[in-house]
Amino acid sequence: MATLDFEFRNQILGNDIGSTLAYCYQCATCSGACPVALVTEGRYNPRRLILDALLGLKEKIFGKENAFNIWGCTICDTCDEVCPQKVELTEIFTILKNISVERGEAPEHYTGQASTVLEHGKAIPSQPAIERRREQLGLPAVMPPDMDEVKKLLTATKLAEKLPKS
Ligand code: SF4
Ligand code: SF4
C-alpha cells in the first residue's frame, strides 16, 4: 500500500499553481477529455495523477516504472480547458515532470531532445538536405539561432545540470 508523503504533498500545494489541486473534486471530466487517456484506454489518467499528487502518494507517481504516469501527458491543455474547478493540471504535471528530471527518471527521448536544444538551439538541427529542399521550394533561408542567447537562457534554467551526463 502506498504511503502518504506530506512533505511532497506540501511541496506541490505550497505554490500558487499547485494550490489549485485542492479544488479537485474528482469529477473525471479531465480524463474524459484527455486524448492520451482515450488512446491508452485509461492507462494514462490525469484524474488519477491529480488525486495521487493531492494525497502525496509519491511512490505511485515517481520511479522509472511509473514514468508513463507523468510523461504520457503531451501538454495539449485540453484538461485545463474543461476542468470545472480551474485546476491547473498541465502546470501541475510540469512540476511533477521537473521533479522526475531531477530524480534522473525522465525518459531518454525527452532528455535527448533537451540536449539537442542545448547544443544546437533547436530541436531539429538544420541540415544541408533541408536547406537545399527549402531553396528548391523557393522558401527563405532559416536564420540560425543566437546561440549566446540560447545558452544564457538555458543556463539560467540550470538545464545542463539537470540532464543526465552521457
Ligand atoms: S476535471 Fe478538474 S475537478 Fe474534475 S477530476 Fe479533473 S482536475 Fe479534478
Ligand atoms: S494536457 Fe496532458 S493530461 Fe491534459 S488533456 Fe492533454 S495530454 Fe491529457
Side-chain angles (χ1 to χ4, degrees):
M1 190 190 220
T3 49
L4 273 65
D5 184 320
F6 289 101
E7 196 180 328
F8 165 64
R9 184 176 186 271
N10 291 338
Q11 180 186 353
I12 306 296
L13 282 167
N15 66 56
D16 286 348
I17 290 165
S19 65
T20 64
L21 256 184
Y23 302 120
C24 173
Y25 54 25
Q26 290 289 292
C27 67
T29 305
C30 50
S31 293
C34 171
V36 182
L38 190 69
V39 296
T40 62
E41 298 180 342
R43 188 161 83 84
Y44 176 76
N45 185 327
R47 178 202 58 76
R48 191 174 55 215
L49 184 52
I50 286 291
L51 180 62
D52 290 343
L54 182 58
L55 294 178
L57 299 177
K58 195 174 179 179
E59 62 200 65
K60 283 183 73 182
I61 298 174
F62 300 109
K64 280 194 185 280
E65 71 283 6
N66 294 324
F68 186 68
N69 291 352
I70 309 172
W71 293 93
C73 171
T74 60
I75 324 176
C76 70
D77 282 329
T78 305
C79 52
D80 281 352
E81 287 176 18
V82 299
C83 175
Q85 291 295 90
K86 307 256 180 277
V87 176
E88 301 258 12
L89 292 99
T90 316
E91 296 297 331
I92 291 166
F93 298 157
T94 299
I95 295 171
L96 299 178
K97 285 171 180 167
N98 284 338
I99 298 172
S100 171
V101 171
E102 282 165 9
R103 291 168 58 101
E105 296 171 357
E108 195 279 331
H109 51 277
Y110 281 96
T111 53
Q113 191 88 85
S115 297
T116 304
V117 173
L118 185 62
E119 196 177 335
H120 300 281
K122 50 168 79 172
I124 302 174
S126 196
Q127 294 161 17
I130 296 175
E131 284 158 22
R132 272 199 307 277
R133 190 74 181 125
R134 288 185 66 87
E135 206 177 318
Q136 285 165 359
L137 293 169
L139 296 170
V142 177
M143 296 297 288
D146 180 337
M147 284 310 296
D148 286 342
E149 196 168 337
V150 172
K151 294 259 182 210
K152 197 170 158 189
L153 282 169
L154 296 182
T155 300
T157 68
K158 299 189 171 60
L159 177 65
E161 295 163 37
K162 291 172 185 165
L163 292 174
K165 309 288 173 268
S166 52

